[in-house]
Amino acid sequence: MLEESLYEHFGFTTFRPGQKEIIASLLDGHNTLGMLPTGSGKSLCYQLTAYLLQKPVVIVSPLLSLMQDQAEQLRLMGEKSVLALNSFLDPRQKRASLQHIKKYRFIFLSPEMLAGESVIRALKDLDIGLFVIDEAHCISQWGYDFRPDYLSLGHVRKKLSNPLTLALTATATKEVREDIEKQLCLDYVRQITSSVDRGNIALAVETLQGHEGKLHRLLELAREIDGPGIVYFSSKKAAEHTAIYLKEHGIENVAFYHGGMEQEQRIIIQRQFLNGQLRIICSTSAFGMGVNKEDVRFVVHFHLPSGMEAYVQEIGRAGRDGKQSVAIILYSEGDEGLPLHLFEQELPTEVQLEGIFSYLNFETVILGKVPEAVEETIIRQFSLNETQWRFIKHFIRLNIQKYTGTQLKDAMKRYVAERREYKTEKLHLFFRWLGSNGCLRNGLLRYFDEEPAPRNTQCCTNCGLSRGFTEKLQVKESGKAADSYTGWKQELAKILLKAEDSHEK
Amino acid sequence: MHMNNNIREFNNLTKVLIEITQYVGVFWYNRNDGSIKLFYFKAVISVLKSTFLEAIFLNCLDKFNGERSIFAIYHLLKGKKSSQTIQDAHLFGLRKLFAAYSAIGRDYLDHCVTAFLRKGWVLPLGRDHHYRLTGKGKAALDAYLKNQPIPSSLDSWNFNNLDSAFWGRLSLLVQSLSHMIHERYHFYPIQRDEGIQNWVKGFFKEYPGSRGAIGRSLFEELSTLLEQKSDIERYIFVMRLTGVHRIGSTFGQISESIRSDEVYVRFVFWGTLHFILKEIRNKQENFPILFSIIKEYPPSADKPLTESARLTMKMLKEGKEPKQIAVMRGLKANTIEDHIVEIALAMPSFSIGPFVSGEVADKIHETVRRAKTKQLKIIKNEISDPQVSFFQIRLVLTRAGDMS
Ligand SMILES: [Zn+2]
């Protein structure tokens, strides 16, 4: 019985929707694509399978922080044989880890680690029980978070003699799921998808007057709702300023979080939030991945998310404990410009491409691999951002054998145009949903080609939410205010001495 | 939050708002045709900035006294590993600030200097980007430092790499101990670096004794050290620590709680760490646990060299002449001389005798005293002996100690 193993290893008595089916499918030896909503215990699928198969599991994860979070959670459960291989290890640490790779049950890798021969060699020596691709939608060019270095994973799988594979994702439309299968060269895949719908999260879109209007509403919400919450912004500055604004207006335990902060300060904020010392985080989308907090009661989008998929991911950080929660978009007219603009910047423009190719033709020799100095010149001369340049390099590397010169340029232009059109269309679908009068939940489900959900009581603003319902959201405990500071020595004693000892001080 | 009265009194300084005029863009999306427009308008944005950092800039301008450009300040605080910057740090008595604030931005420095100029705190000199402090500027500096002095124990030259390594290990060790003592065995580590985590695991293997006993000893060691510090220093240090009852605070949170400048809080914190490091190095036997954190790091008398200077030193030790080394490595003689100056600064025991005779050294010393300058050109002119080279003057200056 799978439930018995579940209890033995994790202390749970029942599976969440989809988990059991995915594990059973893997145990039957089927390559499996699992789509489970954010916060529904995706990682348990490979964790329990690892214990049952009694073989090492290799997990490819797109983001360092995500990898660290998952490795940390396993260790926290008492699992000792966890290895996280990433480019931040120094060569000595890396060599040592690879030498002892057989000791580990869970091996986390970033895709760029798989480009190294030594890593592949070490992995070939293993009897890999399961090959897991986390956030598998990153492999698809149609996914909302395309990562070109994921494209090599199909090839890597072959080199490792096609191990049993589990592709996991939280949000993927049907075409993205098909693309995942194709790119990973998976035959006979069993797809197990559970609905993207999270019934306990009420969906709200509120239209307000400009930035000021939003600020006021946010302040109101922060006062009304007792529990922990995350407020998303698309700029670091806005996140910082709003955190300060809230504090100045009497909201306690607020902090901002973004990628521009030092690592140590970021970890502190995360831990404080988990620990209940902070209640509200004003953040860019950098916050939340892998932050396993059960009782987040609300997620606010102060700026629009970058699309429907990102929206679903981000609101999925609310209500993991299954209790009533709410996701609120604060909208004011014209807000659509920001995600459109941000997406425009992901891809090079036609003018940029023309320029770059005339430059590269001139230096024909370097087409395959671009030297650093040339790279710098190109980036500066054609004012490319990092994402754009990374995209161009990957495209060249992947297609250099297929096309030459102008052909390559035309292929890239075609590709960019196609992708731009596709994404624009997707964004407009999102905008249309935003402004629609129909049920927001069903609209969301339609976007992911799912059947409408049965109506629940707190559904969405279009179906009508009960007045003041945000005030009634259940809170586990009223925030753990840090004990007051009574003196440095008392504080130090609280940390390092047992209670009976510290009384003497 | 309750606070000691002393701390409150100490921090009557608050953050200052600086207004910067900037262009801000707003995107406007038209629902009907899906078009997007971008409008720019001029806006006044308030930015929180550090008054303490201004004091640090003024302090550097004061010490450099117009003999270096403002970029020397930037390189100094960033900790640029070039002979020039290292030499400046020594020559102008600014070693404690070497690499003390690597987050410094060039724009912000520029911006502050412009503001100083407007307030009449600095005087522009003939050369670009060279300024001298005016009387008014000196008074402003004194006023700053009276409220928020640069911590006397700050010694970034000696500890700027060791301090973060020490803090990483100490903070995780304290967090782990705190949880174990209170019988909590699972927690999210406050340090993510695997090297740090492995070190802490190794520590507990090496100290098999009762966790309670280790906790008591560490408490005693830290108390002994903190007894010697001021209230503000203790407060900041203790609040940074994470224990079983709370996660430690960020610099920003501490600065809010005492209504002080965040950069100042950082400097005080690092100053306290430097104090601890110096003490536990000097009195190892009194601080066995704290010392075990850094025991594998070499004593700080000798500073790390740049890779290239290290090679030069190796060749010097093999008995090669500077000119020979330059030829063999295809470098300019100047570069090798830079290396030798760097070595002389990094290693107090390195003898400059082979490059400067005692007689010439005395002559240089005498001239520096008389001319009251550290500008090489002036010194050389004063000596008016073509046999004495710039290289020799620089070398002798390395042995003059902090001559300010
Ligand atoms: Zn509805």
Side-chain angles (χ1 to χ4, degrees):
Chain A
M1 273 285 281
L2 282 178
E3 272 86 358
E4 277 168 27
S5 319
L6 177 71
Y7 186 74
E8 186 192 330
H9 292 282
F10 297 92
F12 303 137
T13 47
T14 50
F15 286 100
R16 299 217 191 143
Q19 286 177 335
K20 188 177 178 182
E21 293 78 0
I22 290 177
I23 295 167
S25 158
L26 289 169
L27 292 177
D28 284 345
H30 297 292
N31 291 326
T32 306
L33 193 162
M35 182 171 113
L36 299 181
T38 315
S40 60
K42 274 190 293 168
S43 27
L44 186 129
C45 297
Y46 61 78
Q47 287 167 359
L48 185 57
T49 310
Y51 292 122
L52 294 172
L53 289 173
Q54 302 269 8
K55 282 182 184 176
V57 173
V58 174
I59 305 117
V60 182
S61 204
L63 283 180
L64 179 66
S65 60
L66 187 65
M67 187 191 303
Q68 286 172 328
D69 286 328
Q70 283 165 343
E72 236 160 46
Q73 266 153 33
L74 274 167
R75 290 193 188 115
L76 198 62
M77 289 173 0
E79 175 59 60
K80 292 206 168 60
S81 48
V82 182
L83 174 65
L85 275 176
N86 57 65
S87 43
F88 285 91
L89 289 181
D90 67 51
R92 209 189 44 195
Q93 283 174 313
K94 183 180 154 192
R95 249 195 323 273
S97 308
L98 287 180
Q99 250 165 32
H100 301 113
I101 200 159
K102 291 203 167 126
K103 280 198 331 206
Y104 298 98
R105 173 177 270 133
F106 296 99
I107 300 158
F108 289 89
L109 289 162
S110 54
E112 80 262 18
M113 289 303 276
L114 287 167
E117 268 314 303
S118 58
V119 175
I120 295 288
R121 224 176 305 128
L123 289 180
K124 272 184 173 167
D125 275 352
L126 283 179
D127 179 19
I128 297 175
L130 182 62
F131 188 64
V132 183
I133 289 129
D134 200 7
E135 309 293 331
H137 56 268
C138 293
I139 205 174
S140 168
Q141 298 161 19
W142 310 122
Y144 76 101
D145 192 15
F146 174 49
R147 289 174 191 264
D149 47 3
Y150 254 52
L151 283 175
S152 58
L153 290 181
H155 189 57
V156 169
R157 250 194 99 240
K158 269 186 209 148
K159 279 202 215 161
L160 300 176
S161 356
N162 302 315
L164 179 66
T165 298
L166 169 64
L168 283 172
T169 176
T171 38
T173 54
K174 212 155 89 193
E175 50 194 324
V176 170
R177 295 203 293 267
E178 276 159 19
D179 206 22
I180 292 173
E181 284 177 25
K182 198 179 100 196
Q183 299 294 346
L184 284 175
C185 321
L186 295 172
D187 307 323
Y188 315 112
V189 184
R190 209 175 263 186
Q191 280 200 19
I192 291 159
T193 60
S194 83
S195 172
V196 293
D197 182 36
R198 297 271 307 279
N200 63 319
I201 305 176
L203 307 177
V205 176
E206 299 187 9
T207 304
L208 298 146
Q209 286 298 319
H211 187 80
E212 281 292 300
K214 288 195 203 177
L215 273 180
H216 290 153
R217 179 59 183 143
L218 180 64
L219 181 60
E220 229 171 71
L221 286 168
R223 286 185 177 141
E224 243 169 62
I225 310 178
D226 256 342
I230 306 173
V231 187
Y232 283 109
F233 297 83
S234 46
S235 93
K236 294 172 189 169
K237 269 256 158 63
E240 280 191 22
H241 286 199
T242 310
I244 294 169
Y245 169 87
L246 289 176
K247 272 190 251 182
E248 279 169 356
H249 288 79
I251 306 295
E252 283 178 17
N253 308 324
V254 183
F256 59 83
Y257 179 104
H258 55 68
M261 294 158 63
E262 302 143 86
Q263 150 125 318
E264 194 193 24
Q265 307 289 298
R266 264 183 304 170
I267 296 174
I268 292 175
I269 298 292
Q270 251 194 41
R271 303 296 193 242
Q272 288 179 342
F273 188 57
L274 277 175
N275 203 34
Q277 279 167 248
L278 284 173
R279 187 169 74 92
I280 299 176
I281 305 285
C282 294
S283 163
T284 59
S285 59
F287 186 81
M289 257 237 223
V291 174
N292 233 355
K293 190 168 170 65
E294 295 273 300
D295 59 346
V296 175
R297 287 282 76 89
F298 66 98
V299 168
V300 172
H301 281 92
F302 196 91
H303 294 138
L304 290 181
S306 64
M308 189 68 101
E309 284 91 342
Y311 173 70
V312 168
Q313 284 261 13
E314 285 161 9
I315 68 167
R317 281 148 203 161
R320 295 193 177 185
D321 54 8
K323 297 202 180 113
Q324 183 64 56
S325 307
V326 63
I328 304 162
I329 293 179
L330 300 181
Y331 170 83
S332 78
E333 213 185 320
D335 274 1
E336 292 91 340
L338 204 54
L340 271 175
H341 175 78
L342 291 176
F343 139 70
E344 285 285 328
Q345 288 186 326
E346 278 172 26
L347 293 167
T349 62
E350 194 139 314
V351 180
Q352 281 173 325
L353 283 180
E354 281 293 340
I356 293 159
F357 271 90
S358 64
Y359 193 89
L360 281 177
N361 269 346
F362 178 63
E363 318 233 345
T364 32
V365 233
I366 50 149
L367 263 172
K369 197 170 175 281
V370 188
E372 232 171 85
V374 179
E375 203 168 323
E376 255 176 48
T377 319
I378 294 177
I379 290 174
R380 213 167 338 108
Q381 193 161 339
F382 303 104
S383 52
L384 292 164
N385 62 38
E386 209 182 308
T387 324
Q388 291 168 331
W389 179 237
R390 213 172 23 199
F391 162 81
I392 293 170
K393 274 199 302 189
H394 271 281
F395 193 93
I396 294 181
R397 197 182 310 149
L398 285 170
N399 293 289
I400 187 71
Q401 260 122 24
K402 261 196 270 178
Y403 308 105
T404 52
T406 34
Q407 269 184 319
L408 185 63
K409 181 178 75 183
D410 291 341
M412 196 182 308
K413 273 162 104 177
R414 245 190 341 265
Y415 176 83
V416 167
E418 223 176 282
R419 196 167 146 69
R420 183 165 278 150
E421 192 182 333
Y422 175 85
K423 283 213 72 167
T424 312
E425 196 190 304
K426 285 272 158 190
L427 261 178
H428 281 283
L429 278 177
F430 176 62
F431 296 155
R432 208 170 308 146
W433 169 82
L434 198 65
S436 74
N437 300 320
C439 172
L440 293 172
R441 192 172 306 276
N442 284 339
L444 188 151
L445 289 172
R446 237 186 341 269
Y447 182 96
F448 289 101
D449 308 300
E450 282 191 40
E451 297 300 310
R455 248 197 98 147
N456 53 7
T457 37
Q458 303 297 349
C459 178
C460 67
T461 32
N462 287 348
C463 294
L465 296 172
S466 0
R467 268 187 69 117
F469 107 100
T470 48
E471 290 168 45
K472 293 185 205 101
L473 294 175
Q474 265 191 42
V475 185
K476 202 166 58 190
E477 48 195 303
S478 52
K480 234 186 278 169
D483 304 352
S484 57
Y485 177 86
T486 47
W488 67 275
K489 209 161 185 178
Q490 288 84 338
E491 195 64 25
L492 198 58
K494 246 187 252 170
I495 297 172
L496 284 171
L497 303 178
K498 259 195 128 137
E500 57 265 33
D501 297 348
S502 61
H503 285 314
E504 299 160 22
K505 298 290 162 187
Chain B
M1 177 157 301
H2 299 286
M3 197 73 44
N4 275 357
N5 280 334
N6 302 355
I7 295 176
R8 201 173 289 200
E9 268 169 37
F10 193 91
N11 280 280
N12 45 7
L13 267 192
T14 50
K15 288 172 184 171
V16 161
L17 287 175
I18 295 175
E19 290 182 341
I20 303 174
T21 310
Q22 276 187 347
Y23 283 96
V24 170
V26 161
F27 302 98
W28 191 258
Y29 172 76
N30 186 327
R31 241 169 211 263
N32 300 324
D33 60 4
S35 69
I36 157 177
K37 288 197 185 83
L38 186 55
F39 294 108
Y40 284 103
F41 59 89
K42 233 177 175 187
V44 175
I45 297 182
S46 313
V47 185
L48 285 173
K49 286 298 176 192
S50 163
T51 54
F52 184 69
L53 207 49
E54 288 176 18
I56 294 284
F57 295 160
L58 286 173
N59 182 58
C60 292
L61 284 166
D62 186 32
K63 292 277 167 79
F64 282 142
N65 198 28
E67 297 189 12
R68 292 287 182 274
S69 78
I70 58 167
F71 302 117
I73 301 176
Y74 175 79
H75 293 314
L76 175 81
L77 293 176
K78 259 232 137 56
K80 188 181 179 193
K81 285 196 185 58
S82 75
S83 303
Q84 181 64 58
T85 304
I86 292 171
Q87 208 183 337
D88 284 352
H90 285 76
L91 216 49
F92 295 96
L94 288 166
R95 290 202 311 192
K96 55 159 52 181
L97 294 179
F98 180 83
Y101 194 69
S102 56
I104 175 165
R106 241 181 163 128
D107 294 343
Y108 184 57
L109 175 61
D110 275 343
H111 170 82
C112 285
V113 172
T114 311
F116 295 162
L117 200 58
R118 211 176 41 227
K119 291 182 199 162
W121 291 358
V122 293
L123 193 71
L125 302 176
R127 293 162 73 191
D128 271 358
H129 309 297
H130 285 64
Y131 299 89
R132 190 177 291 143
L133 225 56
T134 61
K136 216 169 154 195
K138 275 217 169 76
L141 173 60
D142 290 343
Y144 271 138
L145 294 185
K146 207 172 140 231
N147 273 306
Q148 298 182 322
I150 301 173
S152 58
S153 50
L154 187 77
D155 186 357
S156 298
W157 168 256
N158 272 314
F159 297 119
N160 82 72
N161 286 317
L162 187 61
D163 54 12
S164 43
F166 173 72
W167 172 249
R169 289 176 174 188
L170 177 69
S171 56
L172 187 59
L173 176 64
V174 166
Q175 185 193 20
S176 310
L177 259 177
S178 183
H179 280 82
M180 288 167 160
I181 290 164
H182 296 90
E183 279 133 36
R184 296 257 303 272
Y185 297 99
H186 297 311
F187 58 91
Y188 285 104
I190 198 75
Q191 296 291 341
R192 270 194 152 161
D193 182 290
E194 299 217 2
I196 294 174
Q197 294 182 356
N198 289 334
W199 179 85
V200 172
K201 275 180 214 154
F203 174 92
F204 285 116
K205 266 184 215 147
E206 236 179 89
Y207 281 83
S210 108
R211 305 299 186 239
I214 300 175
R216 275 193 299 279
S217 309
L218 186 55
F219 175 82
E220 292 303 335
E221 288 185 22
L222 285 172
S223 299
T224 310
L225 291 164
L226 293 174
E227 295 283 5
Q228 304 169 52
K229 304 307 287 176
S230 69
D231 258 343
I232 183 104
E233 289 168 307
R234 293 166 182 157
Y235 174 73
I236 293 172
F237 181 80
V238 170
M239 288 312 284
R240 292 279 287 125
L241 289 172
T242 292
V244 73
H245 65 300
R246 62 159 169 84
I247 306 292
S249 303
T250 62
F251 290 115
Q253 289 167 337
I254 294 176
S255 82
E256 269 168 38
S257 75
I258 57 176
R259 293 202 190 78
S260 179
D261 185 312
E262 182 176 331
V263 181
Y264 178 65
V265 170
R266 287 172 184 262
F267 272 74
V268 172
F269 174 71
W270 294 114
T272 308
L273 281 192
H274 296 167
F275 165 78
I276 293 175
L277 285 166
K278 196 170 154 208
E279 287 294 301
I280 62 179
R281 268 251 158 85
N282 290 341
K283 302 168 194 147
Q284 299 174 16
E285 58 295 342
N286 295 348
F287 306 103
I289 298 181
L290 288 173
F291 183 71
S292 73
I293 297 177
I294 53 159
K295 65 169 186 256
E296 86 230 39
Y297 291 97
S300 59
D302 292 344
K303 295 301 298 171
L305 294 171
T306 55
E307 203 50 54
S308 193
R310 199 193 316 279
L311 189 56
T312 298
M313 187 173 76
K314 189 165 158 263
M315 296 172 90
L316 285 172
K317 276 191 179 153
E318 288 162 3
K320 299 199 171 62
E321 292 291 323
K323 282 203 186 96
Q324 254 178 307
I325 299 175
V327 173
M328 288 172 73
R329 296 180 56 192
L331 295 172
K332 285 193 203 139
N334 266 344
T335 309
I336 303 301
E337 289 177 357
D338 280 346
H339 291 164
I340 296 172
V341 173
E342 189 189 329
I343 295 166
L345 286 169
M347 313 178 98
S349 59
F350 179 79
S351 167
I352 62 169
F355 313 100
V356 202
S357 70
E359 197 186 332
V360 171
D362 285 345
K363 208 165 172 180
I364 296 170
H365 273 303
E366 172 52 32
T367 314
V368 171
R369 242 191 316 276
R370 193 155 29 84
K372 290 200 183 74
T373 182
K374 284 149 202 161
Q375 267 176 317
L376 302 178
K377 216 176 230 147
I378 300 178
I379 299 172
K380 184 144 165 45
N381 285 342
E382 286 281 321
I383 294 177
S384 69
D385 176 352
Q387 296 298 317
V388 178
S389 68
F390 280 118
F391 170 54
Q392 287 175 321
I393 299 172
R394 287 166 65 200
L395 265 185
V396 170
L397 287 177
T398 68
R399 287 295 173 264
D402 274 355
M403 298 192 307
S404 46

